[in-house]
Amino acid sequence: MRLVILDDYELASEWAAKYIRNRIIQFKPSAERYFTLGLPTGSTPFGCYQKLIEYYRSGDLSFKYVKTFNMDEYVGLSRAHPESYHSYMWNNFFKHIDIYPSNAHILDGNAKDLEAECQAYEQKITEAGGIELFVGGIGPDGHIAFNEPGSSLVSRTRVKTLAKDTIVANARFFGNDLSKVPTMSLTVGVGTVMDAKEVMILITGAHKAFALYKAIEEGVNHMWTVSAFQQHPRTIFICDEDATLELRVKTVKYFKGLMHVHNKLVDPVLSIKDQ
């Protein structure tokens, strides 16, 4: 497990984007061999997406041979709703890059048969060859995707009831009106993400500090689903200084002492112009 600690949100976002950029370019995707990327929504990955758009516009990165699978979607919210995750992804990322719409997969929260939709999503991931890199964020209660506290750590894509804390946290996107916040979602499972060849978790802000502590310094616990990734062979946590406030000083010092090794993953930054 790697823990990469950057000074602030902007630097953490840039480091994550450079890592994704290098992973895609090193993979050398083609029409016969797509790079498969799992993606999150929310405020945390926004800065990373902005940097990836910047790399595409500068001609250094292409998503032509990339397939994406998003983590989750609300149930009952139309795709056109400004707070649906379809809208988020297209407005903040997909429409600004060269990905084919047919290669950008997002769960359908309005499917007639939600269980069948979840099973089909798992099948699509399998048919795509599995996820090469799954990027995720977490909630203050340590949930990954919508795998709320108490979720099975071997769970698959399914319908999930949202915890009260999650509904309250998301109310800011719905005019702070709790009655407008969806109470159900479709989400990939912890086991779905664990099946990825590599997992990257973005954690920023002091309000996520206790969750990072639970993810790094304590044992695996289904009440803090992000802790499951301690057991993944290739997990990389990327955080800012604020998110480390609950960690022991020696833990922070240990991982900062490895930054010269971690930075070799993004330096040099690769470009498709050089291929």
Side-chain angles (χ1 to χ4, degrees):
M1 182 189 72
R2 295 186 173 105
L3 175 63
V4 178
I5 303 170
L6 287 306
D7 286 346
D8 55 34
Y9 172 79
E10 287 72 24
L11 289 174
S13 298
E14 183 177 18
W15 201 100
K18 286 179 178 178
Y19 188 81
I20 295 168
R21 168 175 162 173
N22 278 5
R23 285 283 280 110
I24 293 173
I25 293 172
Q26 288 167 344
F27 188 83
K28 297 181 179 178
S30 66
E32 291 76 36
R33 186 170 179 258
Y34 278 77
F35 186 90
T36 310
L37 185 63
L39 294 175
T41 53
S43 55
T44 303
F46 180 78
C48 177
Y49 290 152
Q50 292 300 297
K51 294 301 294 186
L52 290 172
I53 292 167
E54 183 181 309
Y55 300 153
Y56 163 68
R57 288 176 173 168
S58 65
D60 293 303
L61 182 62
S62 172
F63 294 86
K64 185 177 180 181
Y65 297 119
V66 173
K67 292 182 179 181
T68 64
F69 288 87
N70 263 78
M71 284 191 149
D72 40 29
E73 178 58 288
Y74 290 119
V75 168
L77 214 58
S78 72
R79 290 188 181 198
H81 191 286
E83 298 305 332
S84 77
Y85 290 160
H86 277 80
S87 291
Y88 175 98
M89 291 306 301
W90 283 101
N91 292 332
N92 294 314
F93 190 39
F94 292 150
K95 76 178 184 181
H96 304 288
I97 59 175
D98 60 341
I99 193 168
Y100 289 114
S102 59
N103 289 332
H105 302 281
I106 305 176
L107 285 154
D108 182 1
N110 292 291
K112 289 183 178 180
D113 187 335
L114 296 177
E115 294 287 349
E117 170 68 11
C118 294
Q119 291 173 13
Y121 203 68
E122 289 275 347
Q123 185 62 32
K124 288 176 185 176
I125 292 174
T126 299
E127 290 171 355
I131 306 291
E132 193 69 27
L133 173 63
F134 219 132
V135 183
I138 65 167
D141 61 1
H143 71 256
I144 182 88
F146 275 132
N147 292 285
E148 303 283 29
S151 293
S152 166
L153 300 184
V154 295
S155 53
R156 312 305 302 185
T157 303
R158 66 206 186 286
V159 184
K160 197 78 178 73
T161 302
L162 302 185
K164 181 71 172 182
D165 285 350
T166 301
I167 294 170
V168 170
N170 289 349
R172 68 188 189 276
F173 301 119
F174 294 86
N176 289 311
D177 186 345
L178 289 176
S179 67
K180 293 182 180 179
V181 185
T183 59
M184 304 282 287
S185 71
L186 301 184
T187 181
V188 295
V190 179
T192 311
V193 184
M194 284 288 287
D195 281 352
K197 296 180 180 70
E198 184 173 13
V199 178
M200 172 194 286
I201 309 292
L202 309 177
I203 306 175
T204 58
H207 63 301
K208 304 282 181 74
F210 195 69
L212 180 61
Y213 158 70
K214 286 286 188 178
I216 298 292
E217 291 192 348
E218 292 208 344
V220 176
N221 185 340
H222 70 165
M223 295 305 292
W224 298 83
T225 52
V226 68
S227 68
F229 298 99
Q230 293 177 21
Q231 297 188 319
H232 193 284
R234 293 186 67 190
T235 297
I236 182 166
F237 289 91
I238 301 175
C239 68
D240 61 4
E241 281 283 351
D242 286 348
T244 68
L245 292 175
E246 296 285 351
L247 296 180
R248 293 181 178 90
V249 172
K250 66 180 180 181
T251 301
V252 175
K253 187 174 182 179
Y254 170 74
F255 283 108
K256 281 190 172 181
L258 295 173
M259 280 303 293
H260 69 287
V261 177
H262 296 155
N263 281 334
K264 291 178 182 178
L265 299 170
V266 297
D267 186 14
V269 184
L270 304 179
S271 172
I272 59 174
K273 293 176 181 177
D274 301 326
Q275 290 184 337

